[in-house]
């Protein structure tokens, strides 16, 4: 699912990045990866996940014919006329519960609370997308992701560099969101701003990769200093 893409990339960063890895190495590696994934996601969608023309799905589903740009590996409406992709839809429940469980069991700073709440919003949008395969619900899945990335980028820059870029980051994301929501699918302006959203998302992940690596290095240095003291 799209929602799990964010979690998967973020978790992989936390697992793969080591305290001794230089932040610029992580950023360069992610920049290379994002060139490929951005091309696959926006400019050249693989046939395996491209939307399918299916009269059967239109007949079986109460939401109408799927018009989202992606149609994942499940056969549409096999279990219920209400849910196009039941497995992907059900998997989003974990994405809702885990951030809420984290907030319930930890004392979190404001930026962490914001990021956790964004996770929940992404999960709800992803659930709606997989249940309906409608383009409007695809946007309900995608748009919260760019807000999530903006929140993590702001947190990284604030913690590491003392930079407060919330106004600029959230302002840019707000413009992207408003234009995408207000314009028709496949219109020129809509496609331009969806492309800008994709590039912003990819760029944000590069910053996040750099930020996680830099914070891991900083924590390792502090622990080493503590052991020597």
């Amino acid at each position: 699912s799209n929602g799990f893409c964010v979690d998967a990339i973020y978790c992989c960063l936390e697992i793969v990045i080591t305290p001794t890895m230089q932040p610029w190495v992580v950023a360069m590696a992610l920049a290379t990866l994002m060139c490929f994934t951005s091309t696959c996601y926006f400019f050249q969608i693989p046939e395996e996940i491209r939307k399918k023309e299916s009269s059967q799905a239109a007949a079986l589903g109460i939401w109408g014919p799927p018009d989202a740009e992606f149609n994942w590996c499940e056969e549409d409406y096999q279990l219920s006329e209400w849910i196009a992709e039941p497995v992907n839809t059900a998997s989003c429940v974990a994405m809702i519960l885990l951030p809420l469980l984290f907030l319930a069991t930890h004392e979190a700073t404001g930026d962490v609370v914001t990021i956790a709440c964004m996770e929940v919003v992404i999960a709800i949008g992803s659930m709606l997308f997989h249940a309906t395969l409608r383009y409007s619900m695809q946007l309900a899945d995608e748009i919260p992701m760019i807000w999530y990335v903006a929140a993590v980028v702001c947190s990284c820059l604030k913690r590491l560099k003392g930079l407060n870029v919330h106004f600029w980051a959230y302002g840019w994301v707000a413009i992207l969101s408003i234009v995408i929501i207000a314009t028709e699918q496949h219109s020129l302006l809509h496609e331009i701003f969806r492309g800008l959203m994709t590039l912003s998302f990819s760029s944000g992940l590069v910053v996040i990769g750099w930020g996680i690596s830099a914070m891991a290095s900083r924590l390792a240095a502090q622990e080493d200093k503590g052991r020597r003291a």
Side-chain angles (χ1 to χ4, degrees):
S1 111
N2 283 359
F4 273 119
C5 289
V6 176
D7 293 334
I9 293 171
Y10 198 63
C11 289
C12 286
L13 291 175
E14 292 177 317
I15 294 170
V16 173
I17 293 173
T18 65
T20 57
M21 187 177 292
Q22 292 296 321
W24 70 268
V25 174
V26 178
M28 290 298 294
L30 277 175
T32 302
L33 177 63
M34 288 302 104
C35 290
F36 172 75
T37 55
S38 296
T39 300
C40 288
Y41 179 78
F42 184 75
F43 298 103
Q44 190 174 357
I45 302 172
E47 288 296 330
E48 291 80 3
I49 61 173
R50 190 183 295 272
K51 70 177 181 179
K52 307 175 184 68
E53 300 297 335
S54 174
S55 58
Q56 181 183 11
L60 294 177
I62 68 167
W63 309 111
D67 64 350
E69 295 186 344
F70 301 93
N71 194 323
W72 302 93
C73 54
E74 291 182 71
E75 291 294 328
D76 300 342
Y77 295 107
Q78 291 299 296
L79 297 180
S80 169
E81 65 177 2
W82 290 86
I83 302 175
E85 297 177 340
V87 176
N88 274 325
T89 302
S91 67
C92 296
V93 174
M95 292 176 57
I96 295 174
L97 295 179
L98 289 177
L100 296 177
L101 181 62
F102 173 84
L103 292 177
T105 56
H106 294 76
E107 289 188 11
T109 57
D111 58 340
V112 174
V113 172
T114 299
I115 292 168
C117 290
M118 291 288 184
E119 286 267 7
V120 174
V121 175
I122 291 172
I124 294 172
S126 187
M127 182 179 290
L128 294 172
F129 167 46
H130 289 296
T132 66
L133 290 180
R134 300 293 295 175
Y135 183 68
S136 58
M137 295 300 103
Q138 178 184 324
L139 294 181
D141 182 19
E142 291 178 347
I143 290 175
M145 289 185 200
I146 190 64
W147 285 91
Y148 172 87
V149 167
V152 180
V153 166
C154 289
S155 178
C156 288
L157 293 178
K158 183 69 173 179
R159 290 170 182 265
L160 291 168
K161 297 295 184 180
L163 298 176
N164 189 340
V165 297
H166 291 73
F167 175 81
W168 299 105
Y170 289 138
W172 172 240
V173 172
I175 292 172
L176 290 175
S177 303
I178 291 169
V179 174
I180 290 171
I181 292 171
T183 52
E184 292 291 331
Q185 182 184 8
H186 302 310
S187 68
L188 178 60
L189 190 60
H190 185 87
E191 292 300 316
I192 288 173
F193 273 80
R194 276 204 71 223
L196 290 173
M197 182 176 71
T198 302
L199 294 175
S200 299
F201 180 85
S202 300
S203 302
L205 287 182
V206 173
V207 176
I208 291 170
W210 162 82
I212 292 175
S213 178
M215 283 188 279
S217 299
R218 177 180 291 184
L219 288 173
Q222 291 175 349
E223 291 177 359
D224 185 58
K225 183 177 180 181
R227 284 194 296 266
R228 292 181 181 180

